[in-house]
Amino acid sequence: MDRLCDDVLQLIFDELAYPGDLILVCKRFHHFSQDPYVRAHYFMERHGATQALYHALGRGKVLTERVLDILMSSGAHFSRYLVQVAFHHYFYTRTHFIKTNWVRNVPLSVFTYFLKLAADAYGDIPRGKMEDDGAVFTWFLQESRYSESSKRVTWENVRDLLDKYNFIPFSPKDPLMAQFPLALALEPRLLPYAVANGFYMDSKYRNFIFRKMFERVSDRTADTIAENVRELCRLDSTMFVSRTVAAEVCMEAKYNSNGYNALKSLNVTNDLVFNLGALVQDLLKLFYKSKSVTQKPTQDVLRHLWKDFPSSDPTVRLVMLLTVFLPGDNNLNVTNVREQLATLKLGQITKTDMRNLMINPYMEHFNGLVDYMRQEVVSDVTHKKGMTSSEVLTLVEEVACRCLEIGCKGRMLQRVCDTYPSARKAIAKAVSEIHQVDVDDVSKDRKYKLCRPWYRGSEDNDFFWDGLPSRTEGADYLSKAPSNQFLGAIGHESLSAMIRQDETVPTRARRRMYLEAPPSTNLPIIPIDQINVGRWIKMEFGSRSSITAVFLTHAIMNDDSMVLDEYLSPTRPAERVPLTFKHFQTLAALRQAPSYALFRYIEKGGEFYANEADYISKPISVRKPEIKKEDSVPPPKAARSPSSPHRPRKRPRRSAATIVHSYAVPGSDDEAMAVDTIDGGQGDEKKVHPVDAHLRLWIKYLGELLKVEHSKHLEIKRRLMQEAGPGAKSGYSRTSFSNH
């Protein structure tokens, strides 16, 4: 230790949060710590020039007059705001944000010298409550929405605080530290003075600042907003309007015209790092699978954006068609639709457009669409406007068959079958011919489209009749931003909503805010009041139908817990859809783990069937054990009328006295092995409980299936080891089905 040079020892001191324990190690360390240069250097290196004096004032006797002089000469930031807070805290007049003893541990002589330095630097300092620089700065932020004549503090007053009195929050615990960037959003001309005082613009405040710039204020014009944005970006090269903030401004384009016009002005003068047309196109494309497209205010905003930035993208066109035709019920006026289509310049509506509209998850009515097709859509038969009844029926049946693949379209399927009874036969035919599953043809690469949960079934191709259209390169807008620059994610939120969210967050928590708002495009796209297609199929075709059996197979393969619970968990056995051994064979072919709902069905006494043909052809269980019956079964007795006289009760049969009761312990293996005889023990046939019989069959066949899968695993592993050579590992693991 004695051989360490002073420079190395200074570096060790600078890395310690509390060097007081180290100076007790030896006399040399203690003597080294008494040097005022060592103490001043410690505060400057560990806490920086902005916070050096704040932490030095909290160390009590460590701070001396000489240490104060060295800190001042070394460039420690000395603001009038720091002096005011220290004065209030030392004399117990106001605590501000500090809850510890802080400056009260400093000796009076040292604190008097500190006040002398402050008086020499700033003269007569305001010392009253709510007269400090922090209170004045807070008033400036609170009155940002006031008119110029109503404000008590102007931007010139704040400029003097920064320029003459070196104002800046000196502690990360100060609430003003998180609110300080807000002043730059209100007045970007304050940025040079803030930077001169040691302020550093963190990128996580970027969206927070620009949101306040584009906020809707009565006396703030579009030119003022655009000029403030340009000035801030000129003063700080790291600042730019992100796509996140621009999308939020576009979402309230109709209600915040000044902010939206300022954004368009910045786009015209190439002051944005992206093309606004490309942003609007990407923003509109989010709404083809968003429930907010059904709301009238959102539809008005989307139409407003479309008029300013039209696009030939098929996805954007579908969104605009949804704004015109939703909700598609009888209230849809064909004349009004024709006028809106002409205003938006969407062109002629085709059959494919009508199919895309009808399979959309939020289009639960179709009568209005049918009326429009009969009047405006060109017929393939007559080649004139107005489809024939047969064409309409064919299209509706095709749409009904396609809606089977969209889990939330049960309500629409119910309405289609009620209006067009022939659609029921078309659905049954489509399920039997298209979606039937054979164990020998099961493949992991094939997609099974029925009964997909929302987190698996929300593919983009599901929203278009012929699949997701290819991107049209000719009409797309190209972004001018560098590829390595993060421009931010976009969502459905408006600017006002995000500002309210920022204001509800505790001010001190803003230091932990992320750069961009989390995108809202991964939310569930299913309507709230929807009827699941699998549930509707069971209600329409029954639990013992071949159509319902196909849906159960797809639900097991896609692990749709909602449908499995609807099919396998009813209390009454007649309402359950039977589980078969074929389902486990299918999962084994897919190498997929069975759902817990399958084992729960077996534990509850589910019947055993080899496949669905066993219970579809025979409503009664084919595996029900035979029970010996008596030769003569007396006919049922007629109900006794209330007026009939009371008859004496018949004596019990003599054979009842000879029945031997079992002494097996309930729930034990002896009870399962107990034998009940009929006719006084005359017969030798055993009576087995049906639940136990089905459970034994499940255990037997599932055990054999597991042995087959295990032998396949060993064979593949042995072959891979032979190909890899001696001493090498195969790297082949068990399938998920075998592990469960």
Side-chain angles (χ1 to χ4, degrees):
M1 289 293 182
D2 293 338
R3 290 179 293 181
L4 290 175
C5 63
D6 292 345
D7 294 338
V8 175
L9 198 57
Q10 180 72 65
L11 294 175
I12 296 175
F13 271 68
D14 294 344
E15 295 298 326
L16 299 177
Y18 181 71
D21 297 332
L22 182 61
I23 64 177
L24 301 178
V25 172
C26 62
K27 292 183 179 180
R28 184 189 174 218
F29 289 176
H30 182 269
H31 180 71
F32 181 78
S33 66
Q34 303 303 312
D35 190 346
Y37 286 96
V38 172
R39 297 182 179 183
H41 187 274
Y42 169 80
F43 291 117
M44 290 291 295
E45 290 296 324
R46 183 162 184 83
H47 302 290
T50 304
Q51 303 181 27
L53 268 178
Y54 166 72
H55 288 279
L57 290 171
R59 286 303 179 90
K61 296 182 180 180
V62 175
L63 186 64
T64 61
E65 292 87 345
R66 184 58 179 160
V67 173
L68 281 173
D69 292 335
I70 297 174
L71 286 173
M72 295 297 183
S73 60
S74 299
H77 190 73
F78 186 49
S79 65
R80 191 176 72 169
Y81 177 53
L82 173 65
V83 178
Q84 291 170 331
V85 174
F87 182 89
H88 291 162
H89 190 76
Y90 193 86
F91 295 104
Y92 295 87
T93 58
R94 189 182 176 194
T95 59
H96 291 270
F97 60 91
I98 302 172
K99 307 302 179 184
T100 61
N101 285 331
W102 188 46
V103 76
R104 295 167 187 165
N105 295 327
V106 177
L108 181 59
S109 59
V110 178
F111 188 72
T112 303
Y113 184 74
F114 173 75
L115 294 179
K116 179 179 179 300
L117 295 177
D120 295 340
Y122 301 114
D124 189 14
I125 300 176
R127 299 177 298 277
K129 291 183 179 180
M130 303 304 296
E131 294 181 0
D132 57 276
D133 296 345
V136 176
F137 184 78
T138 303
W139 293 339
F140 174 72
L141 299 180
Q142 292 176 350
E143 298 171 353
S144 59
R145 294 185 175 93
Y146 294 0
S147 61
E148 293 295 334
S149 59
S150 303
K151 292 182 179 180
R152 292 178 294 177
V153 181
T154 62
W155 88 271
E156 289 84 359
N157 301 133
V158 179
R159 181 196 59 189
D160 293 340
L161 292 181
L162 296 173
D163 187 21
K164 297 180 180 179
Y165 306 113
N166 300 322
F167 172 78
I168 193 173
F170 53 82
S171 171
K173 297 181 180 180
D174 192 347
L176 294 179
M177 181 68 76
Q179 295 182 351
F180 192 79
L182 180 58
L184 305 179
L186 302 176
E187 188 51 64
R189 289 175 290 181
L190 297 175
L191 181 60
Y193 305 101
V195 173
N197 292 337
F199 175 75
Y200 169 72
M201 179 64 74
D202 198 333
S203 59
K204 62 186 176 184
Y205 295 122
R206 182 186 299 135
N207 290 348
F208 175 73
I209 292 175
F210 282 107
R211 286 187 185 119
K212 299 299 292 186
M213 282 188 169
F214 285 97
E215 185 181 13
R216 181 182 178 184
V217 181
S218 58
D219 59 344
R220 189 181 299 175
T221 63
D223 295 336
T224 303
I225 297 174
E227 187 61 30
N228 289 341
V229 171
R230 295 189 185 98
E231 183 68 14
L232 182 59
C233 295
R234 184 186 64 82
L235 295 174
D236 191 343
S237 59
T238 63
M239 300 297 291
F240 62 91
V241 180
S242 66
R243 283 166 53 94
T244 304
V245 176
E248 294 167 2
V249 175
C250 292
M251 282 306 301
E252 57 179 27
K254 194 172 181 180
Y255 313 103
N256 185 6
S257 58
N258 290 335
Y260 180 63
N261 292 332
L263 191 64
K264 292 195 297 183
S265 175
L266 293 171
N267 181 65
V268 172
T269 57
N270 294 328
D271 290 321
L272 298 178
V273 295
F274 53 86
N275 189 283
L276 188 58
L279 171 69
V280 172
Q281 177 175 289
D282 295 339
L283 180 62
L284 293 177
K285 290 169 66 174
L286 296 180
F287 287 89
Y288 77 98
K289 51 181 179 181
S290 171
K291 185 174 176 58
S292 58
V293 75
T294 62
Q295 301 172 0
K296 181 65 175 176
T298 303
Q299 295 176 0
D300 295 339
V301 172
L302 297 183
R303 294 172 188 170
H304 188 79
L305 294 175
W306 167 269
K307 292 177 182 178
D308 291 341
F309 299 95
S311 173
S312 61
D313 190 280
T315 306
V316 180
R317 185 173 185 272
L318 175 60
V319 173
M320 302 314 300
L321 290 177
L322 287 173
T323 63
V324 175
F325 284 94
L326 279 171
D329 53 8
N330 293 325
N331 297 326
L332 188 67
N333 190 299
V334 177
T335 304
N336 294 338
V337 170
R338 190 186 304 114
E339 294 176 356
Q340 293 181 23
L341 293 176
T343 303
L344 296 175
K345 300 179 181 179
L346 293 174
Q348 180 64 36
I349 304 301
T350 63
K351 287 185 178 181
T352 303
D353 294 330
M354 302 308 296
R355 293 188 181 101
N356 291 336
L357 290 172
M358 295 180 74
I359 65 174
N360 190 273
Y362 303 106
M363 187 71 71
E364 296 185 353
H365 301 272
F366 64 95
N367 294 331
L369 301 179
V370 170
D371 294 340
Y372 183 84
M373 287 189 290
R374 288 174 176 170
Q375 299 183 33
E376 296 295 329
V377 179
V378 177
S379 172
D380 295 336
V381 178
T382 62
H383 302 288
K384 297 180 181 180
K385 286 187 177 182
M387 295 174 56
T388 62
S389 299
S390 59
E391 287 181 303
V392 171
L393 178 60
T394 303
L395 188 143
V396 171
E397 291 179 351
E398 293 175 353
V399 170
C401 296
R402 179 64 179 273
C403 288
L404 296 173
E405 304 173 5
I406 306 173
C408 59
K409 300 291 285 186
R411 193 182 300 277
M412 184 171 181
L413 286 174
Q414 181 179 358
R415 291 169 176 155
V416 169
C417 291
D418 293 342
T419 308
Y420 301 96
S422 60
R424 190 178 188 276
K425 297 181 181 179
I427 290 173
K429 182 179 179 181
V431 173
S432 302
E433 296 180 356
I434 301 176
H435 301 288
Q436 188 67 252
V437 177
D438 191 359
V439 178
D440 299 333
D441 298 334
V442 172
S443 174
K444 204 172 184 64
D445 299 332
R446 178 183 171 187
K447 291 184 179 181
Y448 301 93
K449 299 182 179 181
L450 301 182
C451 296
R452 290 176 295 174
W454 63 266
Y455 52 86
R456 292 185 180 181
S458 59
E459 298 179 357
D460 293 339
N461 291 331
D462 296 339
F463 297 86
F464 296 90
W465 185 260
D466 298 324
L468 186 66
S470 59
R471 191 179 180 92
T472 55
E473 300 294 342
D476 282 350
Y477 298 96
L478 301 178
S479 175
K480 313 186 301 294
S483 58
N484 59 348
Q485 191 174 21
F486 181 72
L487 303 181
I490 60 177
H492 303 151
E493 298 85 0
S494 64
L495 182 68
S496 301
M498 294 306 298
I499 290 177
R500 287 195 300 268
Q501 179 178 329
D502 289 342
E503 292 176 348
T504 54
V505 174
T507 54
R508 297 185 182 183
R510 289 177 185 161
R511 302 189 305 271
R512 300 184 293 273
M513 288 193 309
Y514 293 99
L515 174 61
E516 79 282 353
S520 60
T521 56
N522 295 328
L523 298 176
I525 60 172
I526 57 176
I528 298 177
D529 55 346
Q530 54 92 21
I531 295 179
N532 189 273
V533 173
R535 181 183 179 186
W536 176 81
I537 286 290
K538 181 184 174 184
M539 294 188 301
E540 183 71 18
F541 294 92
S543 59
R544 300 300 176 105
S545 169
S546 59
I547 308 301
T548 311
V550 174
F551 270 78
L552 176 60
T553 303
H554 282 253
I556 292 175
M557 299 171 72
N558 292 323
D559 196 17
D560 190 345
S561 58
M562 182 183 300
V563 177
L564 291 178
D565 185 70
E566 178 72 25
Y567 282 18
L568 302 178
S569 300
T571 306
R572 298 178 57 187
E575 297 178 357
R576 301 176 189 169
V577 182
L579 186 67
T580 66
F581 182 64
K582 173 187 173 182
H583 295 139
F584 288 93
Q585 292 177 314
T586 305
L587 291 175
L590 289 175
R591 305 176 64 185
Q592 180 177 325
S595 172
Y596 174 72
L598 276 62
F599 298 108
R600 184 174 55 188
Y601 170 86
I602 296 174
E603 291 176 354
K604 288 184 176 181
E607 297 174 320
F608 176 85
Y609 297 100
N611 51 51
E612 58 269 14
D614 292 350
Y615 66 84
I616 292 174
S617 59
K618 300 178 181 179
I620 303 177
S621 174
V622 296
R623 303 242 179 219
K624 185 176 181 180
E626 298 179 359
I627 301 177
K628 187 175 181 180
K629 299 181 180 179
E630 298 182 2
D631 296 334
S632 59
V633 180
K637 299 179 180 180
R640 180 172 56 90
S641 60
S643 60
S644 61
H646 176 71
R647 296 180 181 180
R649 188 177 180 182
K650 292 184 64 177
R651 293 180 57 188
R653 296 175 54 186
R654 288 184 186 276
S655 60
T658 62
I659 295 177
V660 179
H661 297 280
S662 173
Y663 292 94
V665 179
S668 64
D669 296 338
D670 297 336
E671 184 183 18
M673 299 171 59
V675 179
D676 295 334
T677 58
I678 303 177
D679 293 335
Q682 299 295 328
D684 296 333
E685 188 174 357
K686 298 181 180 180
K687 183 178 180 181
V688 184
H689 197 277
V691 176
D692 296 338
H694 290 298
L695 183 60
R696 291 174 184 175
L697 288 173
W698 279 117
I699 295 174
K700 175 184 176 181
Y701 285 95
L702 290 179
E704 293 178 356
L705 180 60
L706 185 60
K707 291 179 182 179
V708 172
E709 293 298 317
H710 183 62
S711 61
K712 291 181 181 179
H713 167 74
L714 293 179
E715 182 180 354
I716 296 175
K717 186 176 181 180
R718 189 182 303 109
R719 177 172 53 83
L720 293 177
M721 292 181 65
Q722 291 177 357
E723 295 176 357
K729 294 183 178 180
S730 64
Y732 181 75
S733 59
R734 290 177 177 267
T735 64
S736 300
F737 180 83
S738 302
N739 290 334
H740 286 71

